[in-house]
Amino acid sequence: TTSYYVLLIPVIGLVGRVLYPIAFRACGDREHRVSMLGFLVCVLASAVLLIGKIGILAAALALGLIYTAVSMINTSFLSIYPLHYAKTHNEAAVSGIMDFATYLGAGISSAIYGTVIQHFGYLPMFLSWTVISALSLMILKNFAEKKEVIQYEKNDSKMV
């Protein structure tokens, strides 16, 4: 069964990346909205994992949804966002810095979660995923609202 999971994990990530253009169009061509949708899915699926003994199928579905959502979030942040710096020809530098930060965070969190799981089980990890996703959703929502207000004010001043 391990080989099935080894094959399934990259497929789930690919599904998230393939679904991205559909979600992007559905979110009004705004990558922030796709990321907010992804964080919402992460909050809900992580909260399901907090329930406890939900069965292997429900747990696998929740983990698959989380990975799909994270793949979509990563596409927004690591692929689309750096393109905003194309006018200044800094998209590669921004992408490189963001990739570095992402891999550094993944390495550090793997070490921390490994220790936490060994001593306390999986529940603290699922709780942190829920909290971090909820905080990320709130921060991104606040940022997106401010950005839309600024854009509205720019467009309004052009009409005058």
Side-chain angles (χ1 to χ4, degrees):
T1 59
T2 303
S3 61
Y4 291 127
Y5 292 116
V6 169
L7 292 173
L8 185 62
I9 290 170
V11 170
I12 292 171
L14 179 63
V15 167
R17 286 170 178 80
V18 169
L19 289 176
Y20 187 86
I22 297 165
F24 185 72
R25 282 190 294 279
C27 291
D29 294 341
R30 293 193 169 106
E31 74 267 13
H32 295 94
R33 289 183 182 175
V34 177
S35 295
M36 288 189 300
L37 175 64
F39 283 123
L40 179 61
V41 169
C42 288
V43 167
L44 297 173
S46 296
V48 167
L49 294 170
L50 288 173
I51 294 170
K53 300 193 187 293
I54 58 172
I56 193 162
L57 189 59
L61 180 62
L63 289 169
L65 284 171
I66 291 168
Y67 188 47
T68 300
V70 167
S71 294
M72 292 174 69
I73 295 165
N74 282 346
T75 300
S76 284
F77 281 107
L78 301 177
S79 299
I80 306 299
Y81 179 75
L83 296 177
H84 292 282
Y85 294 88
K87 289 180 184 175
T88 59
H89 305 290
N90 289 315
E91 64 270 27
V94 171
S95 180
I97 291 167
M98 293 180 74
D99 280 342
F100 172 75
T102 299
Y103 285 110
L104 180 64
I108 291 170
S109 66
S110 292
I112 291 169
Y113 284 136
T115 302
V116 168
I117 290 167
Q118 186 176 22
H119 291 91
F120 304 105
Y122 286 93
L123 199 60
M125 181 178 72
F126 298 149
L127 178 61
S128 73
W129 288 358
T130 306
V131 171
I132 290 168
S133 295
L135 287 172
S136 298
L137 176 60
M138 289 187 293
I139 291 167
L140 196 54
K141 184 178 184 310
N142 185 39
F143 174 78
E145 287 172 355
K146 285 181 182 178
K147 186 176 179 181
E148 287 180 8
V149 167
I150 291 169
Q151 188 65 36
Y152 175 77
E153 289 173 356
K154 278 184 181 177
N155 291 339
D156 195 40
S157 68
K158 288 179 184 177
M159 291 182 193
V160 175

